[in-house]
Amino acid sequence: MNGPAHLRTVPIEPAAEEVSLYEIRKKIYPRAVHGVFARWRWALVFATQAVYFGLPWLYWNGRQAVLFDIAARRFYIFGWVFWPQDVIYLTVLLIVAAFSLFLFTALAGRLWCGYACPQTVYTELFLWIERKIEGDRLARIRLDAAPLSLEKFAIKALKHTAWCTVALWTGYTFVGYFTPIRDLGVRAITWQLGAWESFWIVFYGFATYGNAGWMREQVCKYMCPYARFQSVMFDRDTLVITYDRNRGEPRGSRSKSANARAQGLGDCVDCNICVQVCPTGIDIREGLQYECIGCAACIDGCDQVMDKMGYPRGLIRYTTENALAQGLDARGIRRRVFRPRTLVYGVILLALIAAAAGSLASKNPLKVDILRDRGALAREAAPGLIENVYRVQLMNTDEKPRQFSIAATGLPGIVIAGVEQPVAVDAASTKLVTLRLQVPIEAQAAREALQPGSHAIEFVVEAVGDNKVVRHEKSSFLIPR
Ligand code: SF4
Ligand code: SF4
C-alpha cells in the first residue's frame, strides 16, 4: 500500500558496474616441453618449412620449378603450365583442401591447428629462438619483470634481430614464388628491387613477425574463424585431447612415495605443468575449450610428470567422448574411425583427387579460342564464293614449340584461306591468327545444303606429328541473303 508521498520508500538502484568487452592480454610464457607429440610437431615444422623455403630454389627444364608468373598469367608447377583457363584446378584444389580439413577434424580434432597451421609453425619457431636467447619460462618471466638495463636491452635486441631476419626471409621466399627467386636475390643484394617486390617482402615479413612474435595465441583465439566452427565437425567419436577426470580427481600434491589412494587422491598432482606448457594458457582440466589448438603439449607435459611419479601415462590423452563414457580401449576407438561421416568425407576426397589426377595426366597442352570476326560480316569473296572471317587464338601450354594445322568441316567444299599452314607457336605461348573460311555455293551439293542464315561448322586444330594433341571447336558460318 502506498503511504503519504514523504514516507514512501524509494528503491535503491544497485551501483552500475562497468563491464569491459575487452580483456587485457596476460602475456603467456609457454614452458619448453619434450615428448612424442613435441617431436611430431617439430617434424611437421621441418617438413612444411623445407617445402616452403626449398621449393622456389628447385629447377625444372631450365626454369624455376614452381613459379606463379602473374604478369604473364601463367603458373608453372614442375612439368605443368597452368593458364587462367585452368582455374578449375585451383577450384578443385580448394575443395580438396576443405574436405581434407573436414576429414581430419572429424577424425582427430584440430590436427591442422596443432601441427601444420603456419601460425602454429612460426610461433613454434619464434618461441624456439626466444628460448635460445632469453631462456625458458622462468628466465623469461624474470627478464620481463626486471628494470631496463644494458643487458636486458642487448638480449631483447638480439631476439628481435633474429625474429626480423627469419620474418624477412619468409617474405623474400613468398615473393620468390611470384618472381624468379635467384634474380630477386641478386636485385635485393644490389638494392635494385622494385617497389612492389620491396612492399611484399616487408609486408609479409611484418605479418610473420607480428603474428608469430607478438600476437601468437591471440590470432587463434580472436582472429581465426576456424576455431569458431570446428566444433560442428566433431562428433562423439572424434579424437580430442582430454583430461581423464575420473582418474585424475580429486587432484592434489603429494610425495612420490605417498599412497595417493589412501589419501583419497586421484592421479593429478596439481603441478600445473599442463597449464605452463600450453601456448594458449588454458587449463585442459576444465574441459574442451575453443582456445585449445590441439597441440598436445599438455599430453607431453603431463606424461613427464606421470613418469616421474611412477603412474601410467595418459592422464591427458587423445580419446573420444564415447571411449570415456563406454570405457573403450584403443582397439574400440580405432574401430569407430570408419563411421558414416568419415567414410563420406573420405570417398568424396578420393573421388576428387582421382578425378583431378586423371585430368592432369591427360591434360591437353593445346587450347583454342575461336571468334567469328563481327567487324567483317559474311561477304561474297568472288562470284559464288561466300567468305567469313575468324580470329583463332592458339595456346600452346607445352614447354616445347609446336606447329599446328587448322582445318574446318561441316559444309561442302569448305576451305581455309588467308593463313600460312602449319602455324608455329612457341613454347608456353599464344598466337592469334586471322583466317578466312570460304564456301562455294555454286556447286550443286552446296546449293542444296546452304540456305541463308547460320550453319554449324567445326574447326579441327591438330599438332603436326602428334595426333593426340588435337582440339575440335564448334563455330558457325553465315550465309548472307
Ligand atoms: S590445452 Fe593442451 S592441446 Fe590444447 S592448446 Fe593447451 S597445450 Fe595444446
Ligand atoms: S600436468 Fe598432469 S598432473 Fe600436472 S596438473 Fe596437469 S593434469 Fe595434473
Side-chain angles (χ1 to χ4, degrees):
M1 235 166 91
N2 289 342
H6 66 282
L7 292 179
R8 215 174 285 152
T9 50
V10 178
I12 298 168
E13 296 265 330
E17 195 188 334
E18 204 170 289
V19 179
S20 171
L21 292 175
Y22 302 97
E23 192 184 3
I24 294 173
R25 182 198 180 211
K26 285 194 212 95
K27 189 171 174 188
I28 295 168
Y29 297 87
R31 181 182 171 138
V33 67
H34 308 282
V36 177
F37 298 103
R39 282 199 289 279
W40 269 109
R41 225 175 16 263
W42 273 105
L44 265 293
V45 170
F46 282 122
T48 52
Q49 295 319 289
V51 170
Y52 178 69
F53 287 108
L55 261 188
W57 294 95
L58 296 183
Y59 259 58
W60 185 273
N61 277 350
R63 60 154 170 84
Q64 192 167 315
V66 178
L67 181 67
F68 306 128
D69 189 345
I70 290 178
R73 291 197 252 163
R74 259 165 255 161
F75 288 2
Y76 300 92
I77 300 177
F78 292 94
W80 291 300
V81 183
F82 294 94
W83 295 59
Q85 290 83 348
D86 294 319
V87 71
I88 182 73
Y89 290 108
L90 180 65
T91 314
V92 172
L93 183 70
L94 292 177
I95 297 173
V96 166
F99 270 95
S100 305
L101 197 63
F102 296 164
L103 176 64
F104 289 117
T105 307
L107 284 176
R110 295 176 70 173
L111 276 186
W112 163 258
C113 302
Y115 297 91
C117 170
Q119 179 61 23
T120 303
V121 166
Y122 286 110
T123 301
E124 190 81 28
L125 214 57
F126 275 49
L127 259 174
W128 179 81
I129 293 171
E130 191 170 79
R131 282 193 195 110
K132 287 287 164 208
I133 295 173
E134 294 186 354
D136 202 6
R137 179 182 152 82
L138 274 180
R140 299 204 306 276
I141 293 174
R142 277 196 212 110
L143 182 71
D144 279 0
L148 186 61
S149 64
L150 199 61
E151 191 195 356
K152 180 173 174 176
F153 179 81
I155 292 174
K156 291 282 176 191
L158 181 62
K159 179 181 83 173
H160 287 284
T161 308
W163 278 1
C164 287
T165 308
V166 175
L168 282 176
W169 192 254
T170 62
Y172 168 72
T173 304
F174 174 74
V175 176
Y177 278 94
F178 298 91
T179 185
I181 197 163
R182 292 171 197 223
D183 181 41
L184 186 73
V186 172
R187 281 184 289 119
I189 292 167
T190 53
W191 295 96
Q192 288 176 339
L193 286 179
W196 279 111
E197 289 165 341
S198 311
F199 168 79
W200 278 109
I201 290 174
V202 172
F203 180 79
Y204 195 92
F206 179 72
T208 308
Y209 172 76
N211 288 338
W214 293 91
M215 305 282 287
R216 295 192 175 169
E217 81 290 347
Q218 295 182 91
V219 175
C220 311
K221 277 161 87 170
Y222 306 118
M223 292 160 73
C224 176
Y226 178 55
R228 308 280 154 172
F229 69 82
Q230 39 98 19
S231 59
V232 300
M233 289 175 247
F234 285 21
D235 58 28
R236 293 180 62 84
D237 289 307
T238 298
L239 279 173
V240 282
I241 293 165
T242 314
Y243 165 69
D244 189 341
R245 183 167 291 279
N246 293 336
R247 189 185 137 187
E249 300 294 318
R251 66 185 81 159
S253 59
R254 79 289 309 258
S255 70
K256 190 179 170 187
S257 54
N259 183 341
R261 297 289 173 264
Q263 292 181 15
L265 292 173
D267 280 356
C268 174
V269 299
D270 208 12
C271 60
N272 251 12
I273 298 268
C274 51
V275 182
Q276 291 173 11
V277 298
C278 177
T280 63
I282 58 169
D283 187 344
I284 190 70
R285 293 172 298 173
E286 286 167 13
L288 184 62
Q289 296 146 70
Y290 82 90
E291 294 98 330
C292 173
I293 58 167
C295 67
C298 52
I299 300 184
D300 283 333
C302 189
D303 278 350
Q304 282 176 2
V305 178
M306 294 295 107
D307 289 350
K308 276 190 200 135
M309 296 300 294
Y311 298 164
R313 288 181 163 200
L315 177 57
I316 302 176
R317 63 180 182 274
Y318 275 104
T319 188
T320 69
E321 257 185 85
N322 273 340
L324 278 179
Q326 300 166 18
L328 298 178
D329 59 5
R331 221 158 126 213
I333 293 174
R334 273 202 300 276
R335 224 177 280 137
R336 293 178 183 223
V337 164
F338 300 104
R339 51 192 192 274
R341 178 188 289 238
T342 55
L343 287 175
V344 169
Y345 288 154
V347 168
I348 294 176
L349 195 57
L350 280 180
L352 280 169
I353 292 172
S359 166
L360 275 177
S362 59
K363 195 165 177 276
N364 190 338
L366 168 65
K367 294 182 194 306
V368 179
D369 268 348
I370 294 180
L371 269 183
R372 202 157 45 72
D373 192 343
R374 294 179 192 280
L377 290 174
R379 61 189 178 212
E380 198 164 7
L385 191 66
I386 301 298
E387 185 175 89
N388 282 196
V389 182
Y390 298 82
R391 291 155 69 82
V392 178
Q393 188 174 43
L394 302 173
M395 280 169 259
N396 175 20
T397 67
D398 215 344
E399 296 217 59
K400 58 180 181 190
R402 285 185 185 268
Q403 294 192 319
F404 298 99
S405 65
I406 308 173
T409 61
L411 290 174
I414 191 166
V415 289
I416 289 182
V419 63
E420 198 173 315
Q421 300 230 40
V423 181
V425 186
D426 287 341
S429 299
T430 60
K431 184 171 245 182
L432 186 66
V433 292
T434 303
L435 54 81
R436 305 192 304 273
L437 279 193
Q438 296 176 337
V439 174
I441 56 167
E442 287 306 303
Q444 180 62 33
R447 250 200 319 272
E448 282 165 14
L450 295 179
Q451 296 299 320
S454 175
H455 296 266
I457 57 161
E458 187 176 81
F459 282 89
V460 182
V461 183
E462 188 177 312
V464 175
D466 187 353
N467 60 7
K468 284 197 205 104
V469 179
V470 61
R471 287 273 179 193
H472 296 257
E473 291 293 320
K474 294 198 180 324
S475 186
S476 59
F477 188 92
L478 274 188
I479 303 285
R481 292 185 184 279

